[in-house]
Every structure is written in C-alpha cells, then in structure tokens.
Amino acid sequence: MIQAFGLTSNPRKELPPAVDDVSFEACAGRVTALLGTPGAGKTTALRLMLELQPGRGVTHFRGRPLHRIAHPSREVGVLLGDVPGHPARTVRGHLRMLCAAAGVPARRADEVLEAVDLVGLRHEHLGALSRGMDRRLGLACALLADPHTLVLDDPADGLSTREARWLHGVLRAHATQGGTVLFATADPKEAARNADHVVTLEKGRLVADQEAADFARTRLRPRVAVRSPHAARLAAVLARESRAAQRSVEIVREDGNRLAVYGSSCADIGEAAFRHGILVHRLADEVGDMGPGADTTPLKVPAPGGASGADEPRDAGRPSGTGESQTLGSPHATGAVPLPDAAGPPAPTRTPEEPQGPQGLGEPEEPQEPQEPQGQQEVEESEALRPLCPAPAPEGLGSGALSPLPPPISVRSARSPLWPLRYEIRRATGIGTGLLTGAAVLLGSVLVAVLLARAGHTSQPRLLTAWPEELPLPPAALGAGLLGALSFGDEFRHPALAADRGTVPRRLGLLTAKLLVAAVTALTLALLTAGCDAAALYLLYGREVAQVPADWLSPVASWTGLVVGCGWAGVLGAGVFRSTAAGLAAVVAVPVVAVPLVQRAFQGPAVRTAAGFPARVREVFLSQWPFGGERYLEAAARVIAQPVGGALTLSLTALLCAYLLTTLRGRAR
C-alpha cells in the first residue's frame, strides 16, 4: 500500500512548483494509474515519492517511508525511463550483476527472465534490444528482488498493442497476488482499461481521485471519427444543424481531412452528410477520451435559449488535442459509455460491490440536467471522495490540524550493493573491455621492450617493464589506471545502480570492493607484462638480456606498487570527478605534475636533512619484527622514498580524502 501526503516539489525560480500538495493512496491488490498530460507532474510526483528529488511531503510504503526501509529494492520495484546499463553487457549478465546489488541469489536472474519471456534473448547485448524488449528487461529489473510494490513511469510508452497488453497483464497478475502497482500514463484509455483506480493530475495539482468505472463514466466521452475530403464543409453543416436542434456537439478539426465529433452519433452524422451530398470515407465510433486538449480554447457558440458559454463545462484533466475546436449548443451529459477496442486486453476483475458497466468500464448514465462549471464540480467530487482503504496518519503528523507545509523530502542516500565484491567482479567481467585492454597492454609492452633492447643503453629493470625514459609511465601502469578509471566511469556513464537511487552510490563498501578488484587486476597485469617481456627478450636476444637482477625484491616491490597505485589512482580519480577521462588524467598527472613537485621540494636548500632515516627506522621498528618481516617493510619504505613512489602516495592520499569529503557532504545533504 502506498500513501502519499502533501507531495510538493521545490519551486523553479518564478515558476510554480511542478507538483503542488498532491495526496493520494494506492491500495494493495489493486492497480492504480497516475494520469496526466505531459508536463502535469506525474514523473515529478513519482520521484518525490521515491525520494529521488528534494521537495516536501511524506510517502509511506506499507507504513514506512523509503529511507527507513533496510532494503528498498526488496520493497519497491522501480522502472523510470529506459533501462540503464552498459550497451555491451548481456541481458543475463546485467541481471546477475543487479542480483548482487540487491542481495539475491544469481539464479533469480533466470527466474525473472522466464517470467518476462526473455529467455531466448539472455545472451543479447543491451544495446541491441528493441523498445519492447527494453521494457521487458526493465520490468525484470523491477521484479528482481520480488518487491511488494511496483512503481512505473509510463511503462507502455512506445510499445505495440500486443506488447502493452502483455505488460499490463503482468502488472495485473502482480496485483492479484496481493502486490501494489502504481503506473503513470498520459493515455486516459490506457488508465481506464487497465487500472482499478485513477488519480488525475493537471498542472501539478490533484483534480480527480476515482474508481476506474467512475472515471470512465464521468471523465471520458465517446466520439465519432470522421474522414472526408470535404471536412470543413461537413463541420459547418454539423454545426448549423446542432444549433437548430439545440444540441451540444463539439467538433475538433484534426490533421488533414479528419474530424472528431463529440456529442453526436454515426447515424446523425451519416444522415447529415447524405442530405447535403458530402462524401464520407470513414465514419466510426471510437473509445472515448478526455476530449480536446485543455490548452485549446474551443469556440463556444451559445444555442438559442440555451446556457451561455460561460457555463460550458470543460474537463480540466483532458490531454491536449490538435486542430480547431467548436462547442455548440447547451451542454448536457451524454449517456453513452466508451467501449474498449476489440484488440484491447480483457477488463480487470472487479469486486461484486463495484459498479460494472460494459467491458468493466462503467454503467450507462441516465440523461442529466446541465452540469455545473467544472471547477465547482471537481471541488464537490473531491469533498465526496473517501479513502478506499484505511490510512493511518504519517509519522510526525498528529490527528489534529495539519501543518500548512508538509515535512521536507531530502534526496535519499544511496546504498551500496549488499554484496559489493560480488557485484564488482560481475561488473568487471560482464563486458570485454578488460580483456581487450589487457591484450593491448601486453602487446604494447612487448613491442616497447623489444625496441628498447635493440637500441641498448637501458637498465635491466626498465627493460623488463618496458619503461623508457621518454615515457611518463609504462604501458602496464597506464592500462591499470585505465581499468581502474573504468570501474567508476562506467557507473556514471551507464548508471545501472542509479535506477531507483538517483545517484551512483558513494559508500565505503563499494569503494573497497573496487579498490580490491583494481589491485588484483593491476597485480595480474604487472606480472603478466614482466613475464611476457622477459620471454620475448629471451627468444629474440638470449638469456643475457632477459636475466633477472640479483637484488630482485626492491625492483619487484617498486614495479607492483607502481602498477597497483596507478590502478587505485584511476578508481579514486574517476570516483571523485565522475568521469573515466578524469580518472585517467589523475593517473598521468602523477609523473607529469606530482613527481617534479616532489623532486623540487627535496632538492631545495634546507637547514636540516633526514640523513640516516632508514637506519633509525630499522633501529626503532624493524628489529622487533619476527620471521624477517623487516626486509619487506624496509623495501616498502624505499619504494615510498623514491620520487615516483612518494608522488603516487601523496596523490592517492589527496584523492582518497577528496572522495571521503564528497561522500560525507552527500550524506549531510
């Protein structure tokens, strides 16, 4: 069950808020539609409910606000827009990655693929999916953690009739099993056919909160679709005859030679066309909609002795229409009830006490007296509405007089994946970027090592690591930095974790997992490049060129520390600056910018120096280490004491502090 109280978005400069004091309920076991024209505030209302956008108000999901739910993805499944994900990732790989984020077993991915009928496309890449398959995958992502509530923003947008019928069938099945379904749509016919309850928004305000049958009966109107080469002449004839008969007929000129006639019938229009010799190509009853657009001001021509144009009721929530509109005669409520097309899905099941009309959309209405102006009518309707299910008061709101301003909504702090290490491994191995980068690094390193050996005058450690004096970093270090930058850069470019969170999580658990995976990847890359370089040099030039130095511990420690440090610098740089390019730039900045600064700082004049520092460190700390551990600590100290090692250490410290600062600032907000 969803309970929204006083949803209000922050005003935009001098413009009114996109959503202003919207309150409604969506009960369990029912499908609720949030209806409104484009720009009515549907998406903003959903984002306020999900705490993805700052504003004011309270939304409870089964009695709890979202920020107080331990695992939100297990309570609320969300589909907002297209499925965010790397286009090179497979459908199954994407879902398995999200399984680790939601903390559910990986087999759940195969279960939801079968539920949404995507088993045959499990190995397809996300970038190759059609619009309908993308919607199916989005629904699979929403159902992945088996949530009680589904919140979807225009889920049938761009789908064919068959695909839309299937999607709403899945939503109906979820509601039948006791779940809560809330979907936003701009199509009133879609809302009337597929929802049990319809909440209508206009310009950010709630204008109707009705059962689907009442909505179809009171807010939808049947129409007659006419196509004629003499559309203008036919419209004039119908207008003239409606004035003479003092009937309310509204004629809308659409694109080309089409007319939409409200308040008449096929028989009346056909007879009028026959009497005046007007050729008609199409004449058919259509499912009612909410009438011509509210933005289009109809030309009101009062009928003789009828009500004036000022009393003409207008449906405030109807979507925008095209063309001209004429309202003729005095208004009266029509008794016809809109029927869904034959191709539409079966009507939702109703309880016995609900009104049942044709196709489940309402009962025929008896002719009524002229209605009151729409604004007054909507006020009376809203006063007569009663909650469909018990609604406990939200926390912090008493039963007395409510505050005119609801409590503020702050953007919900993003959570890390429940299994961050498993998530990061699946993210890194789900696409071929890592393998391609590693292969390119190995090939480039071998070529550079061979060229250096041929030219000569290169030290043995630099020869084995393919690091010429002219390059700021060896190929392995650049490759490790690029892979590290991609670990966060892909998150911001293809935010699979931000679908129901709003931002990419900045949590220490996710950062630790990324640093660990980046370290293992960089270490593997460092060992492979050194081994491949040594093998290539041995094959081409013999054992003397490929010989490992006798004092190998210090060079190996320096080499692995450099590659792993570059990988970490890429991770932290991309995490701080939200870009892969920025992460790689942070790696390159170490030898280009940081190393010269460190060298200049230590080469300047000084009164005192740190001469004898290694000996004093060995005397104070190293002599007490068992099993010869002082050798490894001494090697690490020597690595850090080098200009590149010191600069890399300072850069990593600065990037880590910047990341922690942005994380704490995001939590404070």
Side-chain angles (χ1 to χ4, degrees), residues 44 112 301 369 389 394 407 475 528 619:
T44 302
V112 295
V301 181
E369 295 298 325
C389 43
L528 286 178
E619 179 183 354

Side-chain angles (χ1 to χ4, degrees), residues 411-432:
V411 177
R412 178 161 53 93
S413 178
R415 297 178 180 272
S416 291
L418 292 183
W419 298 333
L421 184 58
R422 188 178 304 181
Y423 164 82
E424 182 59 23
I425 292 175
R426 290 175 181 170
R427 186 210 60 79
T429 58
I431 56 178

Side-chain angles (χ1 to χ4, degrees), residues 358-402:
Q359 301 294 332
L361 292 180
E363 297 178 347
E365 188 182 24
E366 297 296 332
Q368 301 176 357
E369 295 298 325
Q371 298 178 356
E372 298 178 357
Q374 186 67 20
Q376 181 178 352
Q377 178 186 355
E378 289 172 356
V379 172
E380 294 179 355
E381 288 180 358
S382 63
E383 293 176 353
L385 291 175
R386 293 291 181 268
L388 298 175
C389 43
E395 299 180 10
L397 298 180
S399 57
L402 297 180

Side-chain angles (χ1 to χ4, degrees), residues 317-339:
R318 59 197 183 192
S320 300
T322 57
E324 303 172 1
S325 175
Q326 295 178 340
T327 302
L328 307 169
S330 60
H332 68 278
T334 59
V337 178
L339 301 176

